[in-house]
Amino acid sequence: MVHHSGSIQSFKQQKGMHNSISEILKEKTLKPTRRSLPCLAQSQTHPLNLNHFLSVPLSPGEPKPDAARLTQSISTSCSLLPPQPAEEGKDHYVEESDSRTYEARADQSFLIQKPVTRAKLEARTDSLQGKNRPKSSGLLFRDGKKRIDYILVYKKSSLQVEKRCTFEKNLRAEGMMLEKEPSLTNNDIMFVKVHAPWDTLCKYAEQMNIRMPFRKKCYFTDWKSKNIRSRFHLRCGQIKSWLPRNPMKLDKEALPDLEETDCYTASFSRARMHQFTINNRHTFFSNSTRSRIVHHVLQRTKYEDGKSKMGINRLLGNGTYEAAFPPHEGGYKSRHPIKIHGAQNHRHLLYERWARWGIWYKYQPLDLIRRYFGEKIGLYFAWLGWYTGMLIPAALVGLFVFLYGLFTMDSSQVSKEICEANTTIMCPMCEVNCSPWTLSDSCVYAKVTHLFDNGGTVFFAIFMAIWATVFLEFWKRRRAELTYDWDLIDWEEEEDELRPQFEAKYSGVERVNPISGKPEPFQPLTDKLSRLMVSVSGIFFMISLVLTAVFAVVVFRLIAMEKFASFDWEFVKKNWQFATSGTGVCINFVIIMSLNVVYEKVAYLLTNLEHPRTESEWENSFALKMFLFQFVNLNSSTFYIAFFLGRFAGRPGKYNKLFNRWRLEECHPSGCLIDLCLQMGVIMFFKQIWNNFMELGYPLLQNWWSRRKMKKGGVVGQNAENTAQLPQWDKDWNLQPMNAHGLVDEYLEMVLQFGFTTIFVAAFPLAPLLALLNNIIEIRLDAYKFVTQWRRPMPARATDIGIWHGILEGIGVLAVITNAFVIAITSDYIPRFVYAFKYGPCVDKGYRHEKCLRGYMNSSLSVFDMGEPPNGSQAQTRYCRYRDYRAPPWSPAPYDFTLQFWHVLAARLAFIIVFEHLVYGIKSFIAYLIPDMPKGLCERMRREKYLMQEMMYEAELEHLQKERKKNGKRYHHEWP
């Protein structure tokens, strides 16, 4: 032992460890490190004693439990169920075909091997567990003790009996307990309840490196400024107690499971089980952790003897099972108020404190979401909440820009000149049944344009470009904090299982996996490239289909412009611009929503055609296709209006025509920005309403139809209705499964909205406000859907939002370019700027706001000679005006571009270059200043690793000393 202690001390000296963990624990602490995995409250039984008691094997002299009773408690799907006691009051289904065919194959050794020890230990620890055992809530086996961790569903009419029985036999060989139950709502449905015993959970928790609460506790403390910080925090606490409560924060009294803990976590190990806080083995592994362990086993269990075919996903694909899901933890509603009686379960707590509409203004309980649905879904809601919160300053600034345009609308010099231009005759908008019109007829159009095209446009575009960078950079920091709190820092994603379709397609060609060292199906490079080329061709074909639809809308706008300009109704004739843009946008929205349905099916087909190797590759490929399709579909018409509308119309007397029939559309004298604004506003508003209706309405209708079929399902349905309380597995089966695409649809909707909010935000400053209002509703819609309308998804782990982060960064780069072009080309900001400093009344006098724009409209309109009026009519003038910078007809070079045109063009190009470089420089500088991980978090992580090593060394040393005293032996070997 002396030798052992010396080795410990020498190791600590090498590492610079001068303070023992016992000394550290004696120090007063300021604030515990926040960890999401709970440290269970100390019970009356010491965890070390309980652990030692649970780990003691049964003595040979102890009587073994009855094998028949154990077989009954672990009744399988392929063996004849023994008769049940009358007091259970249930009718148990006996599958005769399975028992006749595979009774001989049932390996009874797996039924009585470990359960004997387990049953004996349970009997011996009943007095210790006492009230801590979970109450029966329809989530337990028939014995009322074993918790249901997973549900498998199959049809009795299924022909895949052999695969199912082999799979279930192998599950029992892995240590799982199975029990069958017939459905009360469908005679053809059978449920297989899966329970993972304690030994199995420990074995796979060690294999999966699941981090669990460590037995000892310690704190992160700033040693130098501890006293100063203690006084400072004390004063701050007193000041906060005087202030009113923040209504947005969640009440900790209502969420008792989310209290901050003072435990560190470490990868679970059965050899060091005495070091972990195991006060109650029923609650040591949370429900989501148990479901994840069972799913891990289901994915790696073979269903054909002597072959490498394995996994529940393949069995779901070939129809052996209909569904596989973890059960919900009970109902989400209660007749008793939660404030008085408390929450029945975590699902009820999530509904009351997250999914209800009455708490739309409160923060989300992310720790509880993560604990119930897993880290992957928790990160989605964390990102959605962070995005929604960051939209608040963007929405306020956009609203201020809009209000600035509203208050200065009447004082705008450009609007005044347009409204007062009663004698300015504009050229006809069509060549048949169209007459000249006065510029003052578009007074309302000009005022509305000023709402979105004013002096704050450039500032807001720069602000939103910087906002996008700040949003992504601070999200990285927020993600780092979440991954630390959720013990994901050292977690590495496991290698995904092969997809069943990939295995079936390439089972004839195998190669050795360089990671696992096992043979697996292999896709040849030539086959992969050929499939990729077909997929890329399909993508280009669908994009060309989008462009064709946009071209059709353009043709409609040309026809509508001509019809509305020559309309008999004077109101429509005066507002032909609004009529043309409004009808064009509505038709474009219908086309967009129709094509989205087609795109989803095409993307699904092309992704399956590529035969991705793993599920993550399939999800990334599908997500990228869906984004490309819907982004092009949603923004192609917007790009046309922003950069092509009115750019190639020509001039009076020499108009460019489409098919030599329809004259190309022109911009209004006040600019084309109002068309772009109208396009964005209508599409964004109606698309958000449609998406929210489909997200909530479709699951509600489907679940209503399922309940209706249950009520009309004959005898079984009547019995279920009279029972009033269906088992939880029946309730979950009648809910809708989560989308086959996972979170792709949820992320896609938000990423497209992010693009709309940033790419053309210079034309529509109210876009962040609409996005904020939509996201407040979206969070509660998604919460309600996950908690009440969907089956519980498998609690998957993830450390980031995946491919979507790269897409968001790409959108941020594209937003800088598009906003620069919108301000320079679509907006009239640059022409007004050039006129004020070069041609206006304030030349060489400095800029004087609106006074310097006097005469701007007359300067921006050119003159066209329409010829002599017919029959000597004096009512019609000879000259009309049109929007362009061209020489008058009486000049030496009529209708050529003037010098002002080239000045404006040069200023536009210069603005694009300066704007892009300036904004990119600011974005890069901000990204450099903001580290991806907070400095304090880095220090806490390093401090935690140091203290964890100390705790492990001293805990193991203490354990070895106790073993030496117990056995009366001396240990001369090195400490492991």
Side-chain angles (χ1 to χ4, degrees), residues 33-39 208-214 261 263-268 276 289 292 367 370-371 375 379 479-492 797-799 937 941 944 948:
T33 303
R34 185 176 185 271
R35 310 298 285 171
S36 297
L37 285 175
C39 278
M208 298 170 64
N209 292 322
I210 295 179
R211 300 180 68 88
M212 300 304 295
F214 208 68
T261 60
C263 269
Y264 289 142
T265 60
S267 297
F268 185 79
F276 292 90
T289 303
R292 187 154 52 89
D367 286 345
R370 167 253 178 174
R371 202 172 298 171
E375 287 79 0
L379 276 175
R479 184 198 66 84
E481 294 175 353
L482 287 175
T483 53
Y484 171 75
D485 290 339
W486 293 352
D487 288 313
L488 297 173
I489 294 294
D490 298 327
W491 180 79
E492 295 182 1
R797 305 200 86 188
T799 57
L937 180 60
M941 291 171 56
E944 177 177 341
M948 282 295 296

Side-chain angles (χ1 to χ4, degrees), residues 166-289:
T166 304
F167 181 72
E168 293 176 4
K169 184 190 70 173
N170 292 332
L171 279 180
R172 295 193 302 274
E174 293 292 337
M176 296 294 167
M177 291 184 174
L178 308 180
E179 188 176 71
K180 280 177 48 178
E181 203 70 53
S183 173
L184 297 181
T185 59
N186 192 329
N187 288 325
D188 194 32
I189 294 298
M190 290 294 296
F191 297 102
V192 180
K193 298 175 286 185
V194 184
H195 168 74
W198 170 256
D199 296 338
T200 305
L201 290 173
C202 293
K203 180 179 74 171
Y204 283 100
E206 183 177 10
Q207 292 182 8
M208 298 170 64
N209 292 322
I210 295 179
R211 300 180 68 88
M212 300 304 295
F214 208 68
R215 183 171 62 91
K216 293 188 177 181
K217 308 174 184 178
C218 57
Y219 306 93
F220 174 80
T221 308
D222 188 354
W223 306 96
K224 296 181 180 180
S225 59
K226 181 180 61 174
N227 297 329
I228 300 176
R229 290 183 59 189
S230 299
R231 300 192 202 100
F232 175 75
H233 281 278
L234 181 61
R235 299 299 181 187
C236 290
Q238 293 177 352
I239 296 175
K240 288 182 179 180
S241 63
W242 299 335
L243 297 176
R245 292 180 58 184
N246 186 353
M248 298 181 67
K249 288 187 177 180
L250 292 167
D251 188 7
K252 289 186 178 181
E253 296 179 358
L255 299 172
D257 292 336
L258 301 183
E259 295 180 357
E260 293 186 357
T261 60
D262 54 355
C263 269
Y264 289 142
T265 60
S267 297
F268 185 79
S269 173
R270 289 178 292 178
R272 299 195 311 269
M273 191 179 294
H274 54 277
Q275 299 177 5
F276 292 90
T277 307
I278 309 178
N279 297 318
N280 188 337
R281 65 179 184 179
H282 291 286
T283 57
F284 180 66
F285 294 104
S286 64
N287 288 349
S288 60
T289 303

Side-chain angles (χ1 to χ4, degrees), residues 585 588 637-638 641 674-684:
V585 169
N588 187 39
S637 57
T638 310
I641 294 175
I674 188 61
D675 296 275
L676 180 60
C677 176
L678 186 63
Q679 172 85 8
M680 292 185 59
V682 170
I683 291 180
M684 191 172 185

Side-chain angles (χ1 to χ4, degrees), residues 835-848:
Y835 177 82
F837 283 92
K838 184 66 178 178
Y839 298 95
C842 297
V843 177
D844 299 331
K845 297 181 181 179
Y847 188 62
R848 296 292 186 274

Side-chain angles (χ1 to χ4, degrees), residues 592-640:
I592 287 174
M593 300 311 296
S594 302
L595 289 179
N596 281 345
V597 179
V598 179
Y599 292 155
E600 183 174 353
K601 298 183 180 299
V602 172
Y604 192 83
L605 178 64
L606 293 178
T607 307
N608 286 335
L609 181 65
E610 294 177 5
H611 285 295
R613 178 177 172 272
T614 61
E615 291 294 337
S616 60
E617 292 179 5
W618 188 96
E619 185 175 341
N620 289 338
S621 179
F622 179 78
L624 184 60
K625 290 181 179 63
M626 286 295 294
F627 172 75
L628 290 176
F629 287 160
Q630 294 207 20
F631 181 81
V632 174
N633 184 32
L634 195 64
N635 294 282
S636 54
S637 57
T638 310
F639 271 91
Y640 163 75

